[in-house]
Amino acid sequence: MKKATHKTAERGFDEALVRLEALVEEMERGELTLEAAMQKHAEGVELAAFCLQQLKASEQAVNKVLKESDGVLSEMELILPEEE
């Protein structure tokens, strides 16, 4: 997996996700030049990799907490609240 650049690493997960969504919207409009679309795509790939890394780290932290609380690692389905 590509390592995040300094600029991406400074963003938090929420900020990176918002930027990624904005990039997708810009590209879906189809009004960008090829060069601009390529730059936005490259930034999007980097942001997606960063977000995935953050999600995996969070999952590992949750699993660690589960293991520490009862001494045995047990799998649980995490149910997140839906956004309104």
Side-chain angles (χ1 to χ4, degrees):
M1 183 183 310
K2 185 178 173 185
K3 189 169 181 154
T5 63
H6 180 69
K7 184 177 180 181
T8 301
E10 287 179 353
R11 298 178 191 258
F13 176 82
D14 292 332
E15 186 180 338
L17 188 58
V18 167
R19 177 64 183 149
L20 183 56
E21 290 171 345
L23 288 171
V24 170
E25 289 175 10
E26 287 180 56
M27 293 177 69
E28 285 179 341
R29 283 193 292 261
E31 299 171 356
L32 299 172
T33 64
L34 177 60
E35 293 79 17
M38 296 286 289
Q39 288 176 338
K40 304 244 184 235
H41 179 268
E43 183 182 355
V45 168
E46 186 176 310
L47 287 167
F50 172 76
C51 289
L52 182 60
Q53 175 191 20
Q54 295 298 304
L55 289 171
K56 286 182 179 182
S58 296
E59 181 181 26
Q60 290 173 345
V62 168
N63 287 339
K64 182 179 179 185
V65 168
L66 291 173
K67 184 176 182 180
E68 290 176 357
S69 67
D70 64 4
V72 177
L73 181 62
S74 59
E75 229 177 283
M76 291 178 56
E77 181 180 354
L78 297 177
I79 301 172
L80 302 175
E82 292 185 28
E83 290 186 36
E84 294 180 30

